[in-house]
Amino acid sequence: MRRRGFVFTLDALLSLILVVVFVSGMVAIIDNTNVYTTSLREGSKYKAEDVLTTLRNVPLKELVPPEILENWSNSGVLDEPLVTPDMSPLDIIATYWATRDLFPEKNLTHKAELILGYLLNKTLEGYYYELLINNYTSSYLRKVGGDYSKAFEVSPATLTLSGYKYNQTPRGYMARAYLTRATVEREELYGWFRVLAGADDGYNVLNITRVISLPMDATPISADGKFVSRREERIDVYINNSWISRSYGQVNLNNLEDYLGKGDNIISLVFSRGSDEIGSASGTTLYIKYNSSSFSVEDPGMVKVYDVTSDRTGIMYLFETFVPGNITSINMKFEIYNIGKVRLYYGFGGDLTLLYEKDGNTNGNATIEFTDSEIKSALSNIGVTYENLSKMVFDFVVGFDAYYDDGNWYYEGDDYNDGANRERRIYGYPDSYVKIDYIPKILTTQYSIPLSVYFPYGDPRVTYDGSGLQVRYSLPENTTAWYADFWVGYRFVGYSTYQELWENDQMFYRGPLGRYAIRVAYTRLYDWMMVPGQENTFEIRMTGGSSYVRDGETRGIIKYFIQGYAGYGDVFPYLLQGYSTYRGYNLTYYYNGSSRIVEKNILVGDPPYRSISIDDLNPDTERGYAVDDAILRLFDKLNYREDSNPGEWRETPFDGSQSNPIDVDLSEEVKISFVDMGEIPGLFEPVQITLRVWRED
């Protein structure tokens, strides 16, 4: 069998996003003029160079599916914070190689093999290959069945990694810095799903209770609520078992912060004295601003069912749900009392489709479950996939002793079986829930700090054009967008209106307006959406029909993360000022408080501490200090509102200075920790990586 080389093309790299960003490293192609014919050799070595350049310069997170990254993070293959998915694969491998003797228990050699083996197998599918790291190879780093020594033509490329500095051997220290804790101002917007029951000539009472959980150290700053009824019936609002207010049609409440506290807060809406349907209508929302040092966030995939009691009739419950990622499974569980029939509908456009009907118990408790296999199969029968549901909000509606027909809901005990008046209850979370598993679009760590952009009613950034709306917003640089969530006041008129969603003049969704639409939510589906460091524009456009967005009846929130972590940076000749007499700093910096700029101090590293001002740090790569640079890179991320020089942490005024204060309050018990790499000898020895590629006929 004759073996020959081939001209490499980009056909083996279709799965990669080739972004050439020269962060570090040096590619040196070994000239083998005595072995290869000129025409074949030139094409082959360019291809081999492309492969190594990609693995050197493209972040791992852009080359590997999110589910694989999550698995690697959970299993320790990605040994964070030693490495992160933002690093290129070869950066990660060089780090593992440089530190494997320091941490033998971590088995870093094998972790490097697993990462490279996966990437090579995906990248060079159909070809034989072998990769060597300082002349080391293994079965993970070569194609099974391949033997380059038997090949007539082989194209190698060699890349020399000089630490973390492009084309330069490290000469000193590197440092990373991270927060042990921080207090931030957080904002949450809670919307209510539509929950309705029959009025039964004014005799029925419907109680909708939900628990809103704030962090255990939360201090509420401000809060307001808008609570809307379906048909102008009476609403009584209770917070933590205290009656707050009562009105017909709508209750608007300000200054609710004194009624709220840390931990669980119980919000009850009681609807009564109605004439047709009673319950929570579109536009019911609660806004809370609070301070907390907790970085935890609620999972949008865990939909916490409200505790609902209807004194006399059946109940309709709308779930207009959304998750910021690709859906993999949906499961529902309902603990119920005195409910005989439970019907699950899927809503799209102006109508609902019955998926399942299950029996409950008209005289006692019962458990009703709709499993993932049942839901997926029922949706498939009507041509709907989980991929269809992953771009925007989607509707499931559940009838508890209630059914839908031709645009109307019918409630047992009122519209049919009029004598079946009895108390019915849906037990709230954790007894009842809708669990949506999904692959998230972003990865978060213990250092991810949740923040948001809030749009209240009447915000000038939100404008209306008579049918739709436009939202203008900006996200700080160096942030990670999570998702947008707008609770929209629609007026549904007929079935022919289509809703289009646009971001930065490009449409990302189009579909018929849902009959029960109350919400628009989306995540960053494409790179041109939710772009940090620029003004973005989100639009709802209506086409056809007469439905529209009501002026001034929308408020929303956009959630994003900043990182309380700065990874290893450049190489510096010195570690920190006064080292080794001092092992850390007592740093004076400035914080942008709610009413004024506040001078504060924070400990960095370990004692003994040197007292130093933020203005005295020296991040110069030729004469400066690794820890100084790490602090300023961290502070640059914590300065997200009005940074004088975003992304330019080495430029004065420094982030955290009096004229450029940071926006995160670092309380007294907070400390900045740093880890240096100055004592790792292997790091300063170049790591040589050789890739040999060939094909056999």
Side-chain angles (χ1 to χ4, degrees):
M1 180 173 63
R2 186 170 61 89
R3 299 174 175 84
R4 60 180 175 83
F6 74 105
V7 178
F8 286 83
T9 66
L10 293 177
D11 60 341
L13 290 177
L14 289 177
S15 63
L16 302 181
I17 304 170
L18 183 55
V19 183
V20 181
V21 182
F22 288 99
V23 179
S24 58
M26 175 180 69
V27 177
I29 303 300
I30 298 175
D31 193 0
N32 295 281
T33 56
N34 295 327
V35 181
Y36 312 105
T37 62
T38 300
S39 59
L40 293 178
R41 185 189 69 244
E42 289 302 315
S44 299
K45 78 174 184 178
Y46 291 149
K47 176 55 181 294
E49 178 181 352
D50 283 344
V51 173
L52 285 185
T53 300
T54 299
L55 296 179
R56 181 65 183 93
N57 294 311
V58 179
L60 182 69
K61 67 181 181 182
E62 296 183 16
L63 303 177
V64 176
E67 62 270 25
I68 299 295
L69 285 178
E70 183 178 19
N71 177 269
W72 284 353
S73 294
N74 293 337
S75 64
V77 172
L78 271 179
D79 203 316
E80 300 181 78
L82 186 64
V83 297
T84 73
D86 295 313
M87 298 168 64
S88 73
L90 294 188
D91 253 346
I92 292 172
I93 269 59
T95 303
Y96 283 172
W97 225 253
T99 58
R100 58 182 181 160
D101 291 336
L102 283 180
F103 309 114
E105 74 282 358
K106 291 180 178 288
N107 199 8
L108 296 179
T109 299
H110 183 55
K111 293 176 181 179
E113 292 174 331
L114 292 175
I115 293 172
L116 280 178
Y118 174 87
L119 290 168
L120 292 171
N121 185 55
K122 292 295 184 182
T123 305
L124 297 171
E125 186 175 357
Y127 308 128
Y128 289 99
Y129 58 82
E130 182 179 52
L131 188 138
L132 297 91
I133 308 173
N134 285 349
N135 294 320
Y136 171 87
T137 190
S138 72
S139 59
Y140 292 93
L141 303 180
R142 69 170 68 96
K143 180 69 175 288
V144 175
D147 185 350
Y148 85 92
S149 65
K150 297 179 181 179
F152 182 74
E153 298 284 357
V154 180
S155 293
T158 296
L159 183 150
T160 301
L161 296 172
S162 299
Y164 288 76
K165 192 72 170 175
Y166 174 65
N167 205 23
Q168 181 178 335
T169 301
R171 329 174 291 290
Y173 297 90
M174 291 182 295
R176 57 184 171 89
Y178 54 92
L179 294 177
T180 59
R181 194 176 175 190
T183 299
V184 294
E185 187 177 274
R186 298 181 58 175
E187 296 174 289
E188 305 290 351
L189 181 63
Y190 303 92
W192 266 251
F193 296 140
R194 193 188 301 267
V195 179
L196 304 175
D200 196 23
D201 298 322
Y203 292 106
N204 195 24
V205 176
L206 179 67
N207 186 320
I208 304 171
T209 296
R210 70 182 294 184
V211 177
I212 290 176
S213 298
L214 300 180
M216 291 307 297
D217 68 340
T219 303
I221 300 172
S222 63
D224 66 81
K226 178 183 177 183
F227 308 99
V228 186
S229 67
R230 171 67 170 157
R231 299 287 189 186
E232 300 296 321
E233 69 270 19
R234 192 174 82 177
I235 315 173
D236 287 81
V237 179
Y238 297 82
I239 299 179
N240 291 326
N241 299 316
S242 295
W243 179 83
I244 306 299
S245 184
R246 171 189 301 140
S247 186
Y248 284 83
Q250 183 171 310
V251 177
N252 296 321
L253 296 172
N254 296 314
N255 305 317
L256 293 176
E257 58 274 9
D258 291 339
Y259 297 96
L260 300 167
K262 61 186 178 181
D264 291 344
N265 293 271
I266 302 171
I267 316 295
S268 295
L269 307 180
V270 180
F271 301 86
S272 61
R273 301 187 182 183
S275 59
D276 184 8
E277 286 179 313
I278 60 174
S280 176
S282 64
T284 297
T285 54
L286 174 66
Y287 164 75
I288 305 175
K289 179 193 287 187
Y290 60 94
N291 282 328
S292 173
S293 61
S294 170
F295 297 166
S296 64
V297 293
E298 286 200 350
D299 177 11
M302 176 54 75
V303 182
K304 299 178 179 180
V305 175
Y306 314 146
D307 196 297
V308 181
T309 300
S310 174
D311 284 357
R312 298 175 63 86
T313 77
I315 303 162
M316 170 273 235
Y317 197 132
L318 165 69
F319 295 94
E320 190 152 57
T321 52
F322 164 79
V323 291
N326 298 320
I327 298 170
T328 58
S329 68
I330 303 174
N331 290 277
M332 302 182 184
K333 177 190 174 188
F334 302 102
E335 294 286 345
I336 56 177
Y337 172 72
N338 280 1
I339 294 172
K341 294 284 185 181
V342 179
R343 300 174 175 90
L344 175 64
Y345 297 84
Y346 170 69
F348 185 68
D351 208 356
L352 301 179
T353 300
L354 179 64
L355 301 181
Y356 273 100
E357 178 179 311
K358 294 193 176 185
D359 292 330
N361 183 357
T362 60
N363 188 30
N365 293 324
T367 300
I368 300 295
E369 294 187 77
F370 297 104
T371 66
D372 176 63
S373 60
E374 290 174 328
I375 294 171
K376 186 178 293 184
S377 175
L379 289 175
S380 178
N381 291 338
I382 59 175
V384 178
T385 67
Y386 284 172
E387 183 179 0
N388 300 141
L389 305 183
S390 296
K391 280 192 173 183
M392 219 270 282
V393 297
F394 54 95
D395 293 355
F396 287 107
V397 188
V398 184
F400 298 90
D401 282 344
Y403 70 89
Y404 174 86
D405 183 52
D406 194 25
N408 295 298
W409 276 93
Y410 298 89
Y411 303 96
E412 186 179 39
D414 188 2
D415 302 303
Y416 68 99
N417 293 346
D418 192 50
N421 297 128
R422 62 179 179 271
E423 179 184 288
R424 294 168 173 85
R425 182 176 179 184
I426 308 165
Y427 294 98
Y429 180 83
D431 297 315
S432 302
Y433 56 82
V434 175
K435 182 68 172 71
I436 306 170
D437 292 314
Y438 63 98
I439 301 169
K441 295 288 186 181
I442 66 170
L443 294 175
T444 59
T445 71
Q446 59 183 319
Y447 306 109
S448 299
I449 302 174
L451 297 168
S452 56
V453 181
Y454 170 60
F455 305 89
Y457 297 119
D459 192 309
R461 295 170 295 177
V462 182
T463 56
Y464 302 83
D465 62 8
S467 62
L469 62 76
Q470 182 183 88
V471 180
R472 291 174 289 104
Y473 69 94
S474 297
L475 296 176
E477 290 193 21
N478 303 315
T479 60
T480 302
W482 192 16
Y483 68 92
D485 199 359
F486 292 93
W487 295 83
V488 183
Y490 291 102
R491 177 70 68 190
F492 185 85
V493 182
Y495 296 88
S496 57
T497 301
Y498 271 70
Q499 175 176 242
E500 296 177 354
L501 304 182
W502 293 68
E503 180 94 0
N504 295 329
D505 293 322
Q506 297 193 63
M507 184 171 66
F508 65 90
Y509 174 84
R510 185 176 190 271
L513 182 67
R515 179 180 182 86
Y516 297 105
I518 57 175
R519 182 187 188 195
V520 168
Y522 63 94
T523 189
R524 193 182 187 194
L525 300 171
Y526 308 102
D527 289 342
W528 42 264
M529 299 176 66
M530 309 179 82
V531 182
Q534 72 169 49
E535 183 176 82
N536 298 275
T537 302
F538 163 66
E539 294 179 83
I540 298 176
R541 300 180 186 178
M542 299 296 197
T543 61
S546 302
S547 299
Y548 60 92
V549 176
R550 303 195 305 270
D551 286 3
E553 294 296 319
T554 294
R555 64 173 168 175
I557 198 164
I558 295 177
K559 295 176 176 287
Y560 65 93
F561 294 96
I562 63 172
Q563 299 301 321
Y565 173 83
Y568 291 109
D570 289 312
V571 182
F572 289 81
Y574 311 108
L575 181 60
L576 58 81
Q577 297 185 39
Y579 183 79
S580 60
T581 301
Y582 300 101
R583 305 289 296 184
Y585 292 150
N586 183 352
L587 178 69
T588 300
Y589 72 98
Y590 294 87
Y591 158 67
N592 191 8
S594 57
S595 59
R596 61 187 178 88
I597 296 174
V598 182
E599 179 182 301
K600 303 198 71 173
N601 283 78
I602 189 169
L603 297 179
V604 181
D606 300 311
Y609 298 107
R610 173 173 180 162
S611 295
I612 192 170
S613 168
I614 192 80
D615 297 303
D616 294 327
L617 297 182
N618 183 357
D620 183 80
T621 54
E622 298 299 324
R623 299 177 299 277
Y625 303 85
V627 171
D628 296 27
D629 179 73
I631 293 169
L632 290 172
R633 285 186 290 114
L634 175 60
F635 274 30
D636 182 55
K637 296 182 178 184
L638 305 182
N639 189 5
Y640 53 88
R641 286 179 180 152
E642 297 179 1
D643 192 349
S644 300
N645 44 18
E648 301 292 339
W649 69 91
R650 292 193 179 114
E651 302 295 326
T652 57
F654 289 154
D655 298 282
S657 63
Q658 189 169 12
S659 58
N660 195 18
I662 62 172
D663 300 306
V664 175
D665 183 13
L666 306 177
S667 54
E668 296 297 330
E669 66 273 18
V670 175
K671 179 180 176 183
I672 296 177
S673 294
F674 68 82
V675 179
D676 69 85
M677 280 192 152
E679 302 301 323
I680 301 177
L683 180 66
F684 306 114
E685 298 176 5
V687 176
Q688 181 172 289
I689 295 179
T690 299
L691 176 62
R692 297 166 174 159
V693 183
W694 68 96
R695 197 169 189 175
E696 300 182 7
D697 293 336

